[in-house]
Amino acid sequence: MNGLTRWRRKTTEPTEWAADPFERLQREINRLFDFDRWGWDETTGIFDRTISPPMDIVEKPDSIVVTCDLPGVDKKDLDISISGNVLTIKGEKKEEKEEKETQYYRKESWSGSFQRTVSLPNTVDADKVEAVMKDGVLRLTMPKKEEAKRKQIPVSVK
Amino acid sequence: MADKESTKNIKERKERRMTIQPLSNIYEEKGDVIVKVEMPGVSKNNIDISIDGQNLIISGQRESLESEGEFLLRERRIADYYKVFTLDETVDRDKIDATMENGVLTLKLQLKESVKPKKIEVKSS
């Protein structure tokens, strides 16, 4: 009888791999060519979210700049909120096709709703956040609160 | 349509900045072939689309990233976009329509009139 064992992802089971060498080769080739696609991970958990737009966070002396790639997302479908030091970007990327029965030849991108939550290092001034959407890139400039800014105290040498 | 590129293209590409392949969707709509290419950070002026023989070459230059400050998270790749599609003979090269919106390039390829299905009337004798 089996006790409770750790769940293992089936696709990486060694016995299954060895069963068909051609399938194994195919899989390795597929993985090789998919290497620079984000959001195409092999994660299969029910609650795993593979939709996660790539994001950069840069800390500057007096502000924090968040940039997020959101191609095809309309400005009005975005919902950005800050509570405390947690930034949440929610949105929906609508599917582009107009007709219901469209025949796809290739589909690499995703559509649907997405959400990203990040905690920010310094406390930012939520009232002064500036959000700009340009060419499918969201750029948030969040000025730091006065007390969080790096201060320079002049010391006079006597 | 398939991805294929000549050695000349590869050579030229290597001389430029590092490139990545953008994600693309291709589908048919109302008899036209629609190609959507996702290139966030590329403005209308920084995009270059050309046809070289059978190849449809799309390249887009991304705006440079933040120049000052410290990266706390870095997920976006520093690279320009480059993608080559092979066009077959059925595509009308003179009727390619390109639009850029929200970082997504849309190409509308029309098929040549000669390859479109024709209805043949049956005459009664």
Side-chain angles (χ1 to χ4, degrees), chain B residues 82-100:
Chain B
Y82 189 83
K83 183 108 189 162
V84 179
F85 292 110
T86 314
L87 295 177
D88 61 25
E89 291 306 314
T90 55
V91 175
D92 195 335
R93 275 128 226 259
D94 302 322
K95 283 185 188 163
I96 296 177
D97 189 48
T99 48
M100 189 78 186

Side-chain angles (χ1 to χ4, degrees), chain A residues 87-145:
Chain A
L87 167 75
T88 306
I89 300 173
K90 265 194 268 185
E92 201 198 336
K93 188 180 169 192
K94 298 216 169 92
E95 205 157 355
E96 68 266 274
K97 62 186 173 73
E98 287 163 26
E99 287 170 49
K100 260 198 176 153
E101 282 165 40
T102 307
Q103 191 195 344
Y104 270 97
Y105 295 110
R106 178 198 285 261
K107 196 172 195 313
E108 292 171 345
S109 77
W110 51 272
S111 58
S113 59
F114 62 89
Q115 180 172 340
R116 258 208 99 157
T117 309
V118 280
S119 43
L120 302 163
N122 286 63
T123 42
V124 292
D125 207 337
D127 301 327
K128 290 180 191 160
V129 174
E130 202 186 76
V132 182
M133 191 75 182
K134 189 178 170 265
D135 301 324
V137 178
L138 172 73
R139 193 170 188 273
L140 289 169
T141 313
M142 299 174 282
K144 286 180 192 169
K145 278 181 184 161

Side-chain angles (χ1 to χ4, degrees), chain B residues 6-96:
Chain B
S6 66
T7 46
K8 180 181 152 254
N9 278 333
I10 294 171
K11 207 182 152 196
E12 275 180 9
R13 186 153 67 101
K14 277 187 176 158
E15 285 160 12
R16 278 180 267 143
R17 251 215 294 184
M18 205 183 97
T19 53
I20 49 170
Q21 289 207 20
L23 298 179
S24 58
N25 290 352
I26 302 170
Y27 58 94
E28 208 178 294
E29 200 167 72
K30 291 166 193 144
D32 300 325
V33 176
I34 313 282
V35 181
K36 296 246 181 189
V37 189
E38 293 194 345
M39 295 191 283
V42 177
S43 69
K44 207 174 80 181
N45 307 320
N46 291 334
I47 200 157
D48 188 59
I49 307 158
S50 58
I51 296 174
D52 178 16
Q54 281 212 313
N55 294 337
L56 173 73
I57 305 158
I58 300 163
S59 65
Q61 275 188 309
R62 228 163 128 95
E63 266 172 38
S64 54
L65 300 164
E66 300 298 326
S67 51
E68 58 152 0
E70 187 194 342
F71 274 91
L72 303 171
L73 183 70
R74 190 174 213 159
E75 293 172 351
R76 297 166 72 222
R77 300 187 56 175
I78 324 157
D80 292 331
Y81 296 108
Y82 189 83
K83 183 108 189 162
V84 179
F85 292 110
T86 314
L87 295 177
D88 61 25
E89 291 306 314
T90 55
V91 175
D92 195 335
R93 275 128 226 259
D94 302 322
K95 283 185 188 163
I96 296 177

Side-chain angles (χ1 to χ4, degrees), chain B residues 100-113:
Chain B
M100 189 78 186
E101 198 190 0
N102 288 336
V104 179
L105 170 75
T106 306
L107 291 172
K108 200 169 164 187
L109 310 177
Q110 290 183 33
L111 298 179
K112 280 181 188 161
E113 283 301 323

